[in-house]
Amino acid sequence: MINTTWLRSFCTLVETAHFTRTAERLHMTQSGVSQHIRKLENQLGVALLLRDGKQFSLTDAGERLYAEGRTLIQALSSLDQRIAEDPPYKGLVRVMSPGSVGLKLYPHLLGLQSQHSELVIDYRFAPNTDVERTIADYKSDIGFMTSAPTLEKVCCQAIAHESLLLVTPANVVDPSWEVLTQLGFIDHPDGTHHASMLLSANFPQFQHSNLFKKKGFSNQISLILEPVSMGLGFTVLPAHAVEAFNRPNSIKSHQLPQPVSETLYLVVRREQSLQNRMNTVIAEARKWL
């Protein structure tokens, strides 16, 4: 296999027609250039140059080598540039988060993509445990979680807080314990966790969400508030999910005396080198979260 370093020296020498200028262009000594040419000739077993003092011309073998060699050198140079290229608005970025964060963030990331047509956003909604696992397995580039990760391969940084809200049908003015007991609970995958966080801080009677009659369940973040809007019960959700509901006049979110928030974490694979397009997405996420 031809040594590409020697080949580059040979092609540059042919183009400059001068050993000294070749050495300057390649940041070498003149003797180093001469050595590369001799090594190339020895490797190929043919003479490439016809020398006449400080002048030279190409042999037939030298002509053939230059004709094909320059194309190879140009391709390698182009490859170097493409590999080193790290554009901030081009390429695929895989993002994953729980639904509430996604409802808030995904429209803004689509807005970013609409401004930069070569940026591609792949956004998946998933529970915290799935987010953490896909980051660890190189299946996602960036994750957002509402609890700190536990896997050793994943690191995190707290970047925001999201309020938990008690949400009732629109006609509920005073969400007393008696009113909530009468309404019943609309559950969801994080329902027990969210209810425990918010209601235990505000109602001394609260021990567990099972104290309320279960009036429904949905695992689709955009549908959890549908039964609430129809007067079928109450629930507890992060603020981003409540803000995204398309019929806000049919529900009422209540600010309780003791506010409770979840911490939002940015998670990436430990020791991962983030590419510029990933940093672009992270910066956009910080802006909106």
Side-chain angles (χ1 to χ4, degrees):
M1 183 178 294
I2 293 178
N3 184 300
T4 55
T5 302
W6 303 343
L7 180 60
R8 187 185 300 274
S9 297
F10 171 74
C11 291
T12 305
L13 177 63
V14 175
E15 291 161 4
T16 63
H18 200 281
F19 277 89
T20 302
R21 285 196 289 270
T22 298
E24 291 172 350
R25 181 180 295 187
L26 298 178
H27 305 289
M28 298 172 59
T29 63
Q30 185 173 332
S31 62
V33 175
S34 298
Q35 187 178 47
H36 282 185
I37 303 304
R38 284 196 300 272
K39 287 182 176 181
L40 191 56
E41 289 178 322
N42 290 336
Q43 183 183 39
L44 296 175
V46 295
L48 300 173
L49 304 180
L50 294 173
R51 295 168 176 83
D52 182 13
K54 293 185 178 181
Q55 305 298 315
F56 68 87
S57 60
L58 297 180
T59 64
D60 289 344
E63 294 279 4
R64 290 193 300 271
L65 179 61
Y66 176 68
E68 296 193 28
R70 65 180 176 180
T71 302
L72 175 60
I73 294 301
Q74 289 169 356
L76 289 174
S77 297
S78 177
L79 178 61
D80 287 346
Q81 293 172 1
R82 293 197 303 273
I83 295 300
E85 187 180 42
D86 188 15
Y89 301 106
K90 181 179 179 181
L92 174 68
V93 181
R94 301 168 300 173
V95 187
M96 185 173 279
S97 76
S100 175
V101 181
L103 288 175
K104 174 70 173 182
L105 190 54
Y106 186 44
H108 296 296
L109 295 186
L110 290 181
L112 180 67
Q113 182 175 345
S114 69
Q115 298 172 37
H116 306 283
S117 60
E118 293 189 275
L119 181 67
V120 180
I121 303 297
D122 179 332
Y123 204 114
R124 310 293 175 97
F125 289 29
N128 286 320
T129 53
D130 289 353
V131 174
E132 182 176 12
R133 187 167 56 252
T134 59
I135 292 292
D137 293 342
Y138 291 101
K139 295 179 180 178
S140 289
D141 303 310
I142 300 167
F144 297 94
M145 296 173 58
T146 55
S147 62
T150 59
L151 296 179
E152 183 180 351
K153 294 180 179 179
V154 177
C155 64
C156 72
Q157 179 184 6
I159 63 168
H161 296 277
E162 183 178 15
S163 298
L164 294 179
L165 298 177
L166 171 66
V167 189
T168 67
N171 61 357
V172 174
V173 178
D174 178 21
S176 64
W177 181 257
E178 291 72 21
V179 169
L180 297 182
T181 301
Q182 185 176 3
L183 277 173
F185 188 58
I186 303 298
D187 202 2
H188 55 86
D190 289 322
T192 297
H193 173 61
H194 288 159
S196 297
M197 291 179 66
L198 183 64
L199 300 184
S200 64
N202 288 276
F203 295 97
Q205 304 95 322
F206 181 84
Q207 297 178 11
H208 195 277
S209 61
N210 288 341
L211 292 175
F212 305 110
K213 185 176 180 179
K214 189 171 179 178
K215 299 294 291 290
F217 178 94
S218 177
N219 65 349
Q220 293 295 321
I221 188 69
S222 60
L223 298 178
I224 294 170
L225 290 175
E226 288 290 342
V228 177
S229 71
M230 298 170 65
L232 299 178
F234 80 93
T235 194
V236 177
L237 277 175
H240 296 330
V242 179
E243 293 169 5
F245 189 59
N246 59 6
R247 294 197 311 282
N249 293 333
S250 64
I251 59 172
K252 185 174 180 62
S253 58
H254 301 269
Q255 296 290 339
L256 299 182
Q258 297 297 325
V260 174
S261 297
E262 285 188 309
T263 301
L264 297 183
Y265 297 92
L266 166 68
V267 294
V268 296
R269 185 176 171 85
R270 193 176 302 277
E271 300 178 358
Q272 176 183 1
S273 178
L274 293 179
Q275 295 168 312
N276 283 338
R277 64 181 183 275
M278 299 174 192
N279 286 320
T280 294
V281 170
I282 291 172
E284 189 72 10
R286 288 180 183 275
K287 184 192 305 182
W288 298 106
L289 294 178

